């Protein structure tokens, strides 16, 4: 069960609830559709989120945070049914190697919790790399910055707002 709400710049029926991601998109005048889904106490995996929302898992993307050998933080955004290829991702950002950031450190770095991490509206702007398949469709879904909420928007808008780049950084699980 889920709710869908089309947002027109600054006008929403969810006025009582907006995530930082939604506010940022509205501030930048980027059109998006907000999706809400029911969940338990814990985050559910991205494939399950796609199923709940009736979406193709290839068009629902998860946000991963990693640290390079240089200690620099990177954000990688890939389809929920894929896994990040660490060596390829490291090469894409010019690092010798990268490692996933421990789940306990995600909030301090991004302002988001595991399962609600979005490439939009992080505490700091990190170099962001999107899997090459992101440009294959008219829209893409990413977390709205809170478990139970997703935003759907044009891939070009998402890449632009995060100053992202594209690379083939993931493979099927």
């Amino acid at each position: 069960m889920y709710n869908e709400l089309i947002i027109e710049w600054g006008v929403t029926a969810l006025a009582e609830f907006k995530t930082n991601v939604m506010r940022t998109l509205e501030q930048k005048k980027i059109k998006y559709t907000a999706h809400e889904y029911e969940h338990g106490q814990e985050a559910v995996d991205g494939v399950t989120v796609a199923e709940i929302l009736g979406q193709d898992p290839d068009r629902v993307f998860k946000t991963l945070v990693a640290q390079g050998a240089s200690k620099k933080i990177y954000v990688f955004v890939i389809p929920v049914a894929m896994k990040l290829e660490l060596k390829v991702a490291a090469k894409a950002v010019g690092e010798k190697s990268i490692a996933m950031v421990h789940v306990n450190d995600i909030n301090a770095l991004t302002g988001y919790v595991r399962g609600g991490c979005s490439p939009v509206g992080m505490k700091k702007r990190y170099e962001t790399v999107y899997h090459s398949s992101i440009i294959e469709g008219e829209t893409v879904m990413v977390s709205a910055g809170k478990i139970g909420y997703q935003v759907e928007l044009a891939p070009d808008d998402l890449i632009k707002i995060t100053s992202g780049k594209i690379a083939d950084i993931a493979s099927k699980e």
Side-chain angles (χ1 to χ4, degrees), residues 5 9-10 15-16 20 32-33 74 78 92 94 99 110 123 134-135 144 153 162 165 167 170-171:
L5 177 67
W9 297 318
E16 69 280 356
N20 189 42
Y32 68 93
T33 303
Y74 300 94
I78 65 174
T110 67
K123 282 182 175 181
I134 196 164
I135 58 173
L153 67 160
T162 59
K165 67 180 189 177
S171 63

Side-chain angles (χ1 to χ4, degrees), residues 44-50 56-65 74-85 100 114-120 122 128-131 133-134 140-144 150-151 158 169-173:
V44 294
D45 68 275
V47 173
T48 302
V49 169
D56 178 351
D58 291 339
R59 302 309 308 148
V60 179
F61 281 59
K62 58 187 172 185
T63 304
L64 305 172
V65 183
Y74 300 94
V75 175
F76 297 97
V77 187
I78 65 174
V80 295
M82 296 184 98
K83 66 176 183 174
L84 183 65
E85 294 295 335
M100 298 306 298
R114 179 185 174 272
C117 193
S118 177
V120 176
M122 290 190 176
T128 303
V129 181
Y130 294 90
H131 183 261
S133 66
I134 196 164
V140 64
M141 259 191 196
V142 295
S143 174
Q150 296 276 308
V151 289
L158 181 60
I169 55 172
S171 63
K172 291 284 183 190
E173 288 194 274

